[in-house]
Amino acid sequence: MADEHELEGQKLDLIVVDSSLEDLKGFGRDQLDAAQEVFKVYKTVYVKSCVFYIPKVDSELILDGQGYYVEEAKDQNGVIKIVLSTHES
């Protein structure tokens, strides 16, 4: 299920899922962003904890040449789940 992607300059096997904010946290924040005319793109990345680290929230990561901000990151039984966001262009 994993595909090869570049994360922070490393070629790694990752699962990358395009996510909506409703999938992640409910609709309250999504409505706030829309009211402020801020449109964000979210991706959820799954990577084995033995090949990558848990990044700090609000830090920046580069995924496939695109900069994203870390919204959430946690280890779930050996797999790191990282929720990333960027402004839609």
Side-chain angles (χ1 to χ4, degrees):
M1 290 177 49
D3 294 315
E4 187 175 272
H5 291 269
E6 188 172 321
L7 182 61
E8 288 295 291
Q10 299 178 55
K11 297 276 187 186
L12 300 171
D13 289 327
L14 310 173
I15 296 174
V16 179
V17 179
D18 291 329
S19 304
S20 73
L21 198 55
E22 285 183 4
D23 296 337
L24 302 172
K25 298 181 183 189
F27 62 88
R29 190 166 167 197
D30 198 25
Q31 286 179 334
L32 176 63
D33 287 346
Q36 296 175 350
E37 297 185 13
V38 175
F39 298 98
K40 289 186 175 182
V41 174
Y42 293 90
K43 293 190 181 282
T44 303
V45 176
Y46 297 92
V47 59
K48 292 179 183 179
S49 60
C50 62
V51 297
F52 203 70
Y53 61 94
I54 301 172
K56 293 183 180 181
V57 172
D58 293 330
S59 64
E60 186 176 359
L61 288 181
I62 306 297
L63 173 65
D64 296 329
Q66 170 74 38
Y68 292 89
Y69 289 98
V70 177
E71 296 279 333
E72 176 185 326
K74 60 185 169 185
D75 189 326
Q76 298 178 324
N77 299 319
V79 176
I80 299 171
K81 175 184 176 184
I82 306 169
V83 179
L84 301 171
S85 71
T86 190
H87 294 291
E88 191 173 69
S89 54

